[in-house]
Amino acid sequence: MYSIGIDLGGTVIKAGLIRDGKIIGFKSFDTVSKDLTPNLPLIENAINRLLCGKKISVSQLSGIGLAFPGIVDPARKTVISTNDKYDDAREMDFAAWINRRWEGVSFRMDNDARAAVTGEWKYGAGRQYENVVMMTLGTGIGTGVVIDGKLLYGKHFQAGSLGGHFVADYRGRICSCGNRGCVEALSSSSFLPKIIREDDSLSEACRKQAESYDFNRLFALRREGNADALAICNKCMDVWAAGIISYIHAYDPEIVILGGGVMQSGDIILPYLQRRIDSLAWCPSGKVHLTVSELGDNAAILGIGYGLHDRRDGTCF
């Protein structure tokens, strides 16, 4: 049997055809709107092209999974809350939409960061562990948590998934969630232009070009010895470290997995974070190991697809 995993990114949507824990077909495309409704035909087309490309009938499809960037009720298959991404999704009946197009196919959905940690836990860097935290560094910052071999959900399905909104500085910048000083507000890609413009210690030239920087460019400049890039990268890494230390104290993981495009500079980021965490985290039983995602952009696709062939009702794990 085959399954389909959909990862709803803020600017790119990815779809994977899965068999035996491996992606055997893949499609990705840019979003056409901040609302989800205009993107649904593109998702439908991607799924149909994946099936047609491998000559797979709907009867061979065990399920479709959707990894969504917000707080999700996986039992009811609904979106509880969004944060300026796909806000119209809160009113949608995803299961009905799926059934109208691929009748009888099972459907499940979950938070995208929780789906990503599931992928790494079952197929990637966390597969030897029963206590795992994954931190995804991207447009925003997301987390997923496995404790004692079980995904963490909580009463309202938000436990473990809001690591980007742990407070690193209670007097800090206002976040998109409405809180102040969140890890995301101090160190994510979406806030990077504001981070640069508001830092008086940076050169005027750097601050004027704030909109032109992303983390890949900044880490490349850091390698060249650029002082502004060094300062920006180090400050953001200090915030990431503060977040990870809070996750370690809260969840007591064996391993912390870091994902997202910024980890192309993992040779800089991992040693820096490991040194800081080893120095500052309270871990009397032993240091917590940091590592880079093995599955990269495919983690959420594989994670949301996991178990569909066993759990035909699409309920959460």
Side-chain angles (χ1 to χ4, degrees):
M1 299 294 287
Y2 302 86
S3 59
I4 296 280
I6 309 292
D7 182 9
L8 283 180
T11 57
V12 176
I13 297 174
K14 300 181 285 291
L17 177 64
I18 305 165
R19 186 175 186 182
D20 297 328
K22 294 182 174 61
I23 294 176
I24 62 170
F26 181 82
K27 301 290 182 186
S28 67
F29 50 91
D30 293 339
T31 58
V32 295
S33 171
K34 288 181 67 176
D35 287 330
L36 185 55
T37 302
N39 291 292
L40 290 179
L42 303 180
I43 296 173
E44 180 179 358
N45 180 59
I47 292 173
N48 288 333
R49 288 173 63 195
L50 286 170
L51 296 177
C52 290
K54 296 291 184 179
K55 296 182 171 57
I56 297 168
S57 67
V58 173
S59 64
Q60 294 174 278
L61 189 61
S62 62
I64 296 173
L66 179 67
F68 186 87
I71 300 174
V72 171
D73 181 336
R76 292 184 173 85
K77 305 168 193 174
T78 57
V79 174
I80 297 171
S81 182
T82 57
N83 188 16
D84 200 32
K85 294 178 191 173
Y86 307 127
D87 290 342
D88 59 332
R90 288 173 291 183
E91 310 302 322
M92 289 185 181
D93 186 339
F94 290 97
W97 182 80
I98 292 289
N99 193 58
R100 285 195 297 269
R101 284 149 181 83
W102 304 279
E103 187 175 355
V105 173
S106 174
F107 172 68
R108 71 176 303 270
M109 66 185 301
D110 209 336
N111 169 265
D112 56 351
R114 190 177 288 121
V117 77
T118 302
E120 290 292 340
W121 174 40
K122 294 299 179 181
Y123 305 114
R127 60 187 176 275
Q128 298 178 14
Y129 302 93
E130 294 295 282
N131 294 274
V132 181
V133 169
M134 183 171 181
M135 181 185 195
T136 304
L137 302 165
T139 305
I141 292 177
T143 53
V145 178
V146 176
I147 295 180
D148 295 336
K150 295 180 180 179
L151 281 167
L152 187 61
Y153 280 95
K155 174 67 175 177
H156 304 103
F157 305 106
Q158 63 190 54
S161 64
L162 297 181
H165 302 284
F166 278 27
V167 175
D169 179 1
Y170 73 92
R171 297 170 297 181
R173 181 178 298 108
I174 295 176
C175 184
S176 57
C177 73
N179 200 355
R180 186 179 288 275
C182 297
V183 171
E184 186 168 303
L186 302 180
S187 63
S188 70
S189 293
S190 61
F191 278 91
L192 190 54
K194 187 173 288 189
I195 291 168
I196 294 170
R197 284 195 302 268
E198 294 178 358
D199 190 339
D200 293 337
S201 70
L202 302 177
S203 70
E204 184 177 352
C206 177
R207 294 166 64 194
K208 283 183 177 180
Q209 298 177 43
E211 299 288 343
S212 69
Y213 292 102
D214 59 22
F215 277 117
N216 288 334
R217 183 183 176 197
L218 285 169
F219 276 99
L221 290 170
R222 187 187 189 278
R223 292 180 193 278
E224 297 171 5
N226 181 281
D228 288 323
L230 178 69
I232 298 164
C233 291
N234 285 7
K235 287 177 182 178
C236 287
M237 287 191 290
D238 287 346
V239 176
W240 300 339
I244 293 168
I245 290 166
S246 292
Y247 310 152
I248 290 170
H249 291 169
Y251 304 125
D252 192 20
E254 301 165 85
I255 188 170
V256 175
I257 302 169
L258 299 176
V262 69
M263 294 312 296
Q264 293 176 22
S265 298
D267 61 314
I268 294 174
I269 297 169
L270 273 184
Y272 186 101
L273 295 182
Q274 190 75 68
R275 285 193 299 270
R276 192 161 181 84
I277 291 162
D278 287 350
S279 172
L280 298 175
W282 190 9
C283 299
S285 299
K287 304 302 182 184
V288 177
H289 179 56
L290 270 62
T291 192
V292 178
S293 162
E294 288 185 10
L295 303 178
D297 289 342
N298 294 332
I301 292 174
L302 287 169
I304 199 63
Y306 171 73
L308 276 168
H309 62 287
D310 294 324
R311 299 174 185 270
R312 300 288 294 187
D313 61 354
T315 55
C316 57
F317 302 127

